[in-house]
Amino acid sequence: MSTPMVVDIWSDVMCPWCLVGWRSFVEGAKLASDHVEVTIRWMPFELNPQMPPEGRSQAEHLASTYNRSAEEVETMRAELSGAAERVGFPIDWRGDGEAPPAMMWNTFDCHKLLRWALASYGPAQQSELKEAMFAAHFQQRRNMADRDVLVDICREVGLEAEGARKALGDEALELAVRADEERGVSGGISAVPTFVVNHKYMLQGAQEPENFARALLQIADMEAAA
């Protein structure tokens, strides 16, 4: 008999390790699927809440945030690219023609739409939207602070465009996302990705699938013994 689990993933669309961790976690959940049944929900965490609407060059942002030289930034990028390739979600430019510059964007509207998708369509569709946002940012280099772009992404995964546009202007939804962010911080979320299982077991970082599987099975045993 499978043990049901709810896993809240605290994450930001700008975070490549969140993408890598998500894909690894999915594989880990498959490895443990004979014993656990996982429902995934995405929770909001802004890595750069003060990012202006016009965004910032990724290279400049990484260099200043981590105090790295241009050469060190390229090494970081190569490491991230290799990790993403290994989980089957390359983060290199996938469009036609010359690649536009890689940018960092304000992601608050992304989080609003993810919360709307969860409430309106459910966890599976929310995860589909999250993957589409990862692809739009890393592979297509679209402007993730542009509401028209975000509505288009929703439409592309089968979500109602008009509903998405209304969600972006919904003040109550904005307050709900802020409350979720504060709940995460007060609960000890300080880095992403962080996976919180059944509201009490915390797994952090982009671990290997086998590590995630082992942790899920251990949690299942603890839940059964409780």
Side-chain angles (χ1 to χ4, degrees), residues 12 79 85 96 105 121 137 143 148 150 170 172-173 187 206 213:
D12 193 12
E79 179 184 1
E85 286 278 356
D96 297 325
W105 304 104
Y121 293 91
H137 175 56
N143 183 342
D148 289 335
L150 297 179
D170 188 336
L173 185 59

Side-chain angles (χ1 to χ4, degrees), residues 162-181:
E162 186 57 32
R165 198 171 293 281
K166 288 181 179 178
L168 287 169
D170 188 336
E171 292 185 5
L173 185 59
E174 179 174 342
L175 292 174
V177 173
R178 294 296 186 202
D180 280 344
E181 290 180 325

Side-chain angles (χ1 to χ4, degrees), residues 35-183:
H35 302 281
V36 301
E37 182 179 351
V38 173
T39 298
I40 292 169
R41 306 184 304 188
W42 294 91
M43 296 293 144
F45 188 99
E46 292 180 86
L47 285 172
N48 305 292
Q50 305 306 318
M51 184 67 66
E54 65 272 16
R56 188 182 189 190
S57 159
Q58 184 191 82
E60 178 186 344
H61 177 78
L62 292 175
S64 63
T65 301
Y66 299 102
N67 193 27
R68 303 291 179 88
S69 67
E71 292 77 12
E72 288 172 326
V73 167
E74 286 307 310
T75 299
M76 289 175 63
R77 282 176 160 173
E79 179 184 1
L80 290 168
S81 180
E85 286 278 356
R86 288 192 293 274
V87 297
F89 202 118
I91 58 174
D92 300 321
W93 164 247
R94 295 287 170 179
D96 297 325
E98 184 178 353
M103 298 288 291
M104 302 292 289
W105 304 104
N106 187 295
T107 56
F108 186 71
D109 281 342
C110 294
H111 292 300
K112 287 180 72 174
L113 287 177
L114 287 164
R115 197 180 199 284
W116 164 74
L118 177 62
S120 300
Y121 293 91
Q125 287 84 351
Q126 187 199 32
S127 287
E128 188 176 356
L129 177 59
K130 182 73 173 193
E131 278 224 356
M133 287 180 172
F134 278 139
H137 175 56
F138 291 108
Q139 298 177 341
Q140 303 159 15
R141 298 191 181 177
R142 296 161 81 175
N143 183 342
M144 302 304 288
D146 185 319
R147 289 189 167 185
D148 289 335
V149 170
L150 297 179
V151 170
D152 283 343
I153 295 169
C154 288
R155 183 189 296 111
E156 289 161 11
V157 296
L159 308 186
E160 183 193 17
E162 186 57 32
R165 198 171 293 281
K166 288 181 179 178
L168 287 169
D170 188 336
E171 292 185 5
L173 185 59
E174 179 174 342
L175 292 174
V177 173
R178 294 296 186 202
D180 280 344
E181 290 180 325
E182 291 174 7
R183 179 168 61 87

